[in-house]
Amino acid sequence: MAESTEPDHLVAKLRFRHLRLLKEVQATGSLRAASQALNLTQPAVSKALTEIESAFGFALFSRTARGLTTTAQGEVVLRGATSLLEELAHLRAEAATAARFAAKIRIGAPPFVAQTYLRDVIARLAKSELPVRVQLTEERVPALIQALQRGELDALITTFPLRMLESDAGLFEYVNLFEVQFAVVASTEHPLVRARRVDWARLAQEAWVMPVEGSMGRKLIEDCFTHAGVPVPTPVIESTSPTTGVQFVAAGLGIGIVPDVALLQRSALRAGSVRQVRVAPEPPSSVVALIFRKGPPNPRVALLKEALGL
């Protein structure tokens, strides 16, 4: 295929309906299935796909006996197509309320960040001269990163492991905000809160309240035991909410790990129902960062940066 990389050439050749066609072909792996989903004839879909690939100058799909699969270049194009379609839908929703709101920002954060640090940030956005609408998604970090990749979120404020982003690190920009220290906690009546020092071998013998599998908090706990050379205990309770987890700990149902003392100061610690356990070595700290996609400046991200004091 003759290569053409001029943006004007792509603008002249491509339409948003072409992006939807690409997504259907990727999702179904079949021209026939894609044509049925789009209510088009198979020859029409085949012709459109040929025109799209000609516009880009390279193949987006590999043709095999088992169907169509995206090439490495196709993966990049499909990721961008998904983001553009999401942005179009967001543009429509944002324009509908432009008279009342400056913008609608879609922010993703893990629950502990959303429930502590983000309160004041969101307040500044909502109380600005022309208020900003905020859509907050509280989720586990892997799910948040996937949503950011798909263009469903404008930015994340979250802890993140670099290894999780190794293959896609070049797609994002990062601005470090602060560090979070994690603490092991137990109910005030638990004998460990009176100990001068507790190691991870001793903690492995306790009942645990943990975040769900696959979450950053769960991975942090597992790494603490692994680095100490101790088998990871099976939790008696798993919860997606750090505040709910603290409540279970306060009820004496197990010990747990919470991010920062800030979360405790707003809940159980203030009530005197949980206390920190002095552990050696301490759980590692983690960086909370603003993460957003690279590319043309996003005015919504600019508003968020202003609210963050950046």
Side-chain angles (χ1 to χ4, degrees):
M1 294 182 182
E3 184 175 357
S4 177
T5 57
E6 289 296 327
D8 287 347
H9 174 78
L10 291 178
V11 169
K13 295 289 185 180
L14 297 180
R15 303 291 184 269
F16 275 102
R17 58 185 173 82
H18 290 140
L19 304 183
R20 186 185 172 204
L21 184 148
L22 291 178
K23 286 195 64 179
E24 287 296 340
V25 174
Q26 182 190 44
T28 62
S30 161
L31 291 179
R32 180 180 179 182
S35 65
Q36 291 174 342
L38 296 169
N39 198 27
L40 297 171
T41 65
Q42 185 170 331
V45 171
S46 179
K47 180 183 178 182
L49 180 57
T50 299
E51 292 172 349
I52 295 168
E53 290 184 318
S54 177
F56 277 101
F58 44 76
L60 304 180
F61 295 91
S62 297
R63 279 75 171 170
T64 69
R66 301 180 62 180
L68 300 178
T69 59
T70 49
T71 63
Q73 291 166 310
E75 286 287 345
V76 175
V77 171
L78 264 296
R79 187 164 55 231
T82 299
S83 181
L84 285 170
L85 289 171
E86 284 290 338
E87 183 65 19
L88 182 64
H90 183 67
L91 180 64
R92 170 67 180 83
E94 194 172 49
T97 58
R100 292 183 55 204
F101 299 98
K104 177 183 177 182
I105 300 178
R106 301 162 299 172
I107 304 171
F112 87 87
V113 173
Q115 295 166 12
T116 55
Y117 178 68
L118 277 189
R119 185 187 67 175
D120 293 339
V121 175
I122 292 175
R124 285 192 284 274
L125 290 168
K127 295 179 179 179
S128 56
E129 185 174 348
L130 187 57
V132 175
R133 294 178 65 199
V134 177
Q135 177 181 302
L136 177 62
T137 300
E138 298 180 56
E139 254 293 1
R140 292 179 293 167
V141 178
L144 292 174
I145 291 173
Q146 291 170 6
L148 183 62
Q149 289 173 327
R150 293 191 298 266
E152 296 169 4
L153 297 173
D154 295 307
L156 309 181
I157 299 178
T158 178
T159 56
F160 64 100
L162 287 175
R163 61 183 175 277
M164 182 184 295
L165 302 171
E166 282 179 356
S167 60
D168 295 323
L171 300 176
F172 305 114
E173 293 191 30
Y174 315 87
V175 180
N176 289 349
L177 300 175
F178 57 91
E179 283 198 6
V180 170
Q181 182 63 52
F182 291 80
V184 177
V185 293
S187 68
T188 54
E189 298 180 358
H190 197 290
L192 288 186
V193 301
R194 294 185 290 276
R196 299 184 66 180
R197 177 183 178 277
V198 180
D199 61 24
W200 290 94
R202 176 67 182 83
L203 292 176
Q205 302 172 27
E206 294 295 322
W208 272 84
V209 176
M210 294 188 186
V212 294
E213 284 191 85
S215 64
M216 288 293 300
R218 179 67 166 267
K219 189 67 171 61
L220 179 136
I221 295 173
E222 292 171 347
D223 285 348
C224 287
F225 284 106
T226 299
H227 291 159
V230 179
V232 180
T234 300
V236 294
I237 299 173
E238 296 172 284
S239 174
T240 58
S241 169
T243 51
T244 301
V246 171
Q247 292 172 2
F248 288 135
V249 170
L253 300 179
I255 62 174
I257 284 185
V258 295
D260 228 17
V261 183
L263 179 64
L264 296 175
Q265 288 174 338
R266 298 186 182 192
S267 55
L269 187 62
R270 179 183 295 171
S273 54
V274 301
R275 287 178 56 189
Q276 184 172 347
V277 177
R278 290 180 286 273
V279 181
E282 293 182 348
S285 61
S286 184
V287 172
V288 172
L290 170 67
I291 308 177
F292 51 95
R293 294 184 302 278
K294 286 185 176 178
N298 183 333
R300 298 186 293 274
V301 173
L303 288 171
L304 179 56
K305 283 183 174 181
E306 184 178 343
L308 288 165
L310 300 176

